[in-house]
């Protein structure tokens, strides 16, 4: 059996190449150029179309080799193609051949050369078939120019254009891409561009790209690209398939660098998140303030702290311990909040025992343990027993802890303990919130403790609600004076406060809750608590007064009148801002002894509907600003306007040594302003002095 499996060429009997009518008709009527060569490469026959193309008659062509009758360029192409057919016994195609016509114009032709075999498979002739592709060539040229214009436009718009094969493999260079990524050409081609995509986004990007290839759908995506400098830039990409005759022939895409827009969006998002979180924390602080303000006993304060720990912190356990100075120990008020497991602290914890609460009290700083390892390391550093700690952590379901000292005017009252059954990340913003919360709780515990001490007099209660001492700040001197005007054992509503803000500036406030007794004291405590909480979270005076208005509406009765003056001052420079809520304006005392009242709007008392404003207020070096309650300038015999004028007059009478000392200045003003009048109201004054600059400064 023969092994030959090829299919023999079909024979068309009765058709002769030289004189067949069919063949002659084809040569004469077809729009294609035909020519035939013998096995030696000589012309045998050519139709009129071919002779017109080459500009040589059929008679001159017949029997001659191409190089003898055709131009040099064309004869070389034809001779090479005919020889290739003879040698390979297979067809040859010349895709583009330029031919200059008789009139001097250039035409483009596509020519194919095919062998013609006899019945026995011998080579009889070589057939040339040519087609005029000048118009299609012109169309391609137009497309090329259009593409160049498009590329120029895209480049002008800072877009990276790229092209891939139907399968998605990059087949053309994209210099702009490589200039940004630093990839070499070989690194970029095929699917190498994916190597420049951010590792976190590469797999998903590749999956979406493959899905677009399979579905022949538009590819729209965004990803980060590693740059030559090893940073990353954001790109938006869009690619579309080019479809011809129902088949994808290539993909064309464009990448747009949207890094500036994305960074701006991310910044806006972060700011929005931060503002939202700050607003939430402020709302929680205000809520806690309102609840703590209503709690007048230690038991009530503890319950509020437990509720706040559960709702605002999502803590699983909350404990409150008060300091017993005599026993040098913390006594847990709500003992059930402490886990009853080996190694855990009991209801009375000596300050020498290492625990979250004792560490907070001893250091007077918050303690944040975000994991078991963190807790163990911190407690071992302060002398904790490793065996007891190991036993506690082994049996406890707690995984994170927060310890907060309860400090009132720098004095330790006790500690708070919040615990979580999961690791807990404490951000700096959370830390500020917790410290503010601890400050409110400390004030509430302090107030409740004082209210529970029946043997304390009203003045003792009032003084204990005020700071024991003012902060010591470089570049600023603070002094205060308080003189009770109560004739009976009743607490008044005057108060002052000064504390350092997170940014190093100093907040100073003098307020007056009208009335006497427990009601006035409670109002004073609530407003002071809220004042500190708001100032620590959002210190600008206008913002603080706006927040106090909301607190006042939520906690105070409509007939309760409360005024205050609040100032924020930069140590050293005296630059600051001031806001008043129906309170007398501060007086600014110069080193020469002149007095000027602050030119600001007096505003309305807290809780009255108004748009709060703040004003620039500067205490130049060597000057002193004095905040005071109305008891200093107003009484039954002296109206407010007369009292303000008298205050300025009294300042001018002060000796130089008095003017330069805030403590002496307050003594001088209180004594002179009250001289000759029956004191019928509390008098509170707070001086802020900016020392004059020295050469060492």
């Amino acid at each position: 059996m023969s092994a030959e499996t090829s299919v023999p060429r079909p024979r068309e009997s009765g058709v002769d190449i030289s004189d067949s009518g069919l063949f002659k008709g084809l040569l004469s009527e077809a729009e294609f150029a035909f020519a035939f060569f013998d096995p030696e490469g000589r012309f045998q026959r050519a139709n009129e179309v071919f002779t017109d193309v080459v500009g040589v008659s059929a008679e001159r062509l017949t029997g001659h080799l191409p190089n003898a009758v055709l131009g040099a360029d064309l004869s070389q192409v034809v001779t090479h193609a005919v020889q290739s057919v003879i040698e390979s016994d297979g067809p040859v195609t010349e895709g583009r051949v330029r031919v200059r016509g008789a009139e001097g114009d250039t035409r483009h032709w596509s020519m194919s050369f095919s062998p013609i075999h006899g019945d026995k498979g011998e080579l009889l002739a070589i057939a040339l078939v040519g087609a005029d592709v000048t118009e299609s060539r012109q169309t391609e040229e137009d497309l090329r120019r259009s593409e160049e214009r498009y590329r120029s436009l895209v480049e002008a718009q800072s877009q990276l254009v790229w092209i891939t094969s139907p399968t998605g493999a990059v087949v053309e260079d994209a210099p702009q891409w490589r200039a940004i990524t630093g990839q070499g050409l070989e690194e970029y081609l095929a699917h190498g561009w994916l190597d420049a995509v951010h590792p976190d986004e590469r797999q998903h990007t590749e999956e979406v790209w493959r899905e677009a290839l399979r579905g022949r759908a538009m590819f729209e995506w965004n990803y980060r690209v590693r740059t030559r400098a090893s940073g990353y830039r954001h790109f938006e990409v869009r690619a579309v398939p080019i479809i011809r005759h129902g088949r994808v022939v290539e993909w064309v895409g464009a990448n747009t660098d949207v890094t500036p827009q994305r960074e701006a969006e991310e910044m806006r998002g972060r700011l929005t998140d931060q503002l939202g979180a700050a607003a939430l924390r402020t709302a929680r602080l205000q809520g806690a303030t309102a609840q703590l303000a209503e709690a007048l006993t230690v038991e009530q304060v503890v319950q509020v702290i437990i509720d706040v720990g559960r709702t605002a912190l999502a803590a699983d356990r909350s404990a409150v311990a008060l300091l017993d100075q005599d026993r040098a120990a913390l006594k847990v008020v709500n003992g059930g909040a402490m886990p009853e497991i080996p190694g855990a602290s009991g209801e009375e914890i000596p300050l020498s025992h290492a625990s979250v609460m004792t560490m907070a009290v001893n250091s007077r700083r918050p303690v944040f343990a975000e994991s078991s390892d963190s807790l163990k390391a911190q407690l071992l550093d302060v002398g904790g027993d490793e065996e007891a700690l190991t036993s506690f952590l082994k049996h406890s379901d707690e995984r994170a802890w927060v310890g907060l000292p309860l400090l009132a005017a720098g004095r330790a009252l006790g500690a708070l303990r919040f615990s979580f059954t999961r690791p807990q990340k404490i951000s700096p913003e959370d830390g500020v919130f917790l410290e503010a919360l601890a400050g409110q709780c400390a004030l509430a515990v302090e107030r409740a403790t004082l209210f529970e001490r029946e043997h304390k007099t009203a003045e003792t209660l009032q003084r204990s609600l005020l700071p024991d001492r003012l902060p010591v700040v470089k570049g600023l001197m603070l002094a205060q004076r308080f003189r009770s005007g109560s004739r009976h054992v009743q607490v008044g509503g005057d108060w002052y406060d000064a504390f350092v803000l997170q940014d190093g500036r100093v907040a100073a406030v003098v307020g007056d809750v009208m009335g006497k007794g427990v009601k006035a004291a409670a109002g004073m405590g609530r407003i002071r608590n809220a004042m500190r909480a708001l100032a620590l979270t959002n210190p600008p005076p206008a913002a603080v007064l706006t927040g106090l208005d909301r607190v006042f509406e939520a906690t105070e009765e409509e007939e309760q009148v409360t005024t205050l003056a609040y100032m924020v001052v930069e140590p050293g420079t005296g630059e600051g801002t001031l806001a008043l809520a129906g309170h007398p304006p501060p007086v600014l005392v110069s080193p020469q002894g002149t007095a000027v009242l602050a030119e600001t709007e007096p505003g309305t008392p807290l809780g009255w509907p108004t748009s709060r404003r703040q004003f620039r207020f500067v205490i130049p070096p060597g000057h002193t600003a004095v905040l005071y309650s109305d008891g200093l300038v107003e009484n039954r015999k002296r109206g407010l306007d007369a009292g303000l004028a008298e205050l300025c007059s009294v300042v001018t009478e002060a000796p130089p040594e008095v003017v330069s000392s805030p403590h002496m200045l307050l003594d001088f003003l209180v004594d002179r302003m009250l001289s000759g009048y029956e004191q019928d109201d509390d008098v509170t004054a707070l001086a802020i002095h900016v020392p004059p600059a020295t050469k060492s400064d």
Side-chain angles (χ1 to χ4, degrees), residues 357-624:
M357 288 195 287
T358 57
M359 187 160 56
V361 170
N362 290 332
S363 67
R364 293 188 182 332
R365 298 177 62 86
V367 177
F368 303 130
E370 299 175 342
S371 65
S372 299
D373 292 340
S374 175
L375 176 70
K376 186 173 183 179
Q378 292 186 64
L379 293 183
L380 287 177
D381 285 345
V382 295
D385 183 86
E386 184 171 6
E387 183 177 351
L389 284 172
T390 301
S391 176
F392 168 75
L393 294 174
K394 179 180 179 181
H395 295 90
S396 176
D397 61 346
E398 297 176 338
R399 295 294 178 268
W401 298 262
V402 171
L404 300 171
L406 294 176
L407 304 176
R411 181 168 54 88
L413 300 180
L416 305 181
R417 180 186 189 272
F418 299 108
S419 60
F420 309 83
T421 57
R422 62 200 177 282
Q424 186 80 2
K425 182 68 176 177
I426 307 297
S427 67
E429 293 77 14
D430 293 334
V432 172
F433 166 75
L434 289 169
E435 289 190 62
L437 176 63
Q440 294 181 71
C441 293
L443 293 172
V445 168
E446 179 188 39
R447 186 184 66 252
T449 302
L450 291 171
F451 269 87
E452 290 181 344
R453 294 174 183 172
E454 296 180 352
H455 65 280
K456 291 293 183 181
T457 64
E459 184 174 353
T460 301
L461 174 60
Q462 185 169 9
R463 289 185 180 277
S464 64
L465 286 173
L466 300 175
D468 285 347
R469 59 182 179 273
L470 298 175
V472 178
V473 182
K474 184 179 180 180
L476 212 64
M477 294 177 63
L478 301 173
Q480 58 80 21
R481 291 295 181 269
F482 172 78
R483 183 176 294 185
S484 176
S486 176
R487 298 180 179 179
H488 307 287
V489 186
Q490 286 185 318
V491 64
D494 275 19
W495 60 281
Y496 67 89
D497 204 354
F499 48 93
V500 180
L501 300 172
Q502 297 292 327
D503 57 5
R505 293 182 300 167
V506 174
V509 59
V510 168
D512 185 1
V513 179
M514 303 303 178
K516 297 290 182 181
V518 174
K519 184 176 180 180
M524 176 182 64
R526 286 191 291 268
I527 298 304
R528 179 176 175 240
N529 288 348
M531 176 75 203
R532 277 222 174 196
L534 291 169
L536 288 172
T537 55
N538 193 13
V544 171
L545 293 191
T546 300
L548 287 175
D549 283 335
R550 292 195 295 267
V551 173
F552 198 91
E553 292 175 357
T555 62
E556 308 301 318
E557 297 178 0
E558 292 183 359
E559 62 272 15
Q560 177 66 62
V561 178
T562 299
T563 67
L564 61 83
Y566 170 50
M567 180 189 305
V568 175
V569 182
E570 180 78 29
T573 67
E575 291 282 345
T577 50
L578 168 71
L580 301 179
H583 204 81
V587 61
L588 183 64
V589 180
S590 72
Q592 294 75 31
T594 59
V596 177
L597 294 173
E599 295 182 359
T600 61
E601 293 182 3
T604 59
L606 294 180
W608 292 26
T610 185
S611 177
R612 295 299 180 182
R613 298 181 60 191
Q614 63 187 35
F615 302 88
R616 182 172 179 264
F617 186 80
V618 181
I619 309 174
H623 288 62
T624 304

Side-chain angles (χ1 to χ4, degrees), residues 335-365:
M338 301 295 291
E340 297 181 1
I341 56 175
S345 304
E347 293 188 5
E348 186 170 289
I349 311 171
L351 292 180
S352 58
H353 177 77
S355 71
V356 172
M357 288 195 287
T358 57
M359 187 160 56
V361 170
N362 290 332
S363 67
R364 293 188 182 332
R365 298 177 62 86

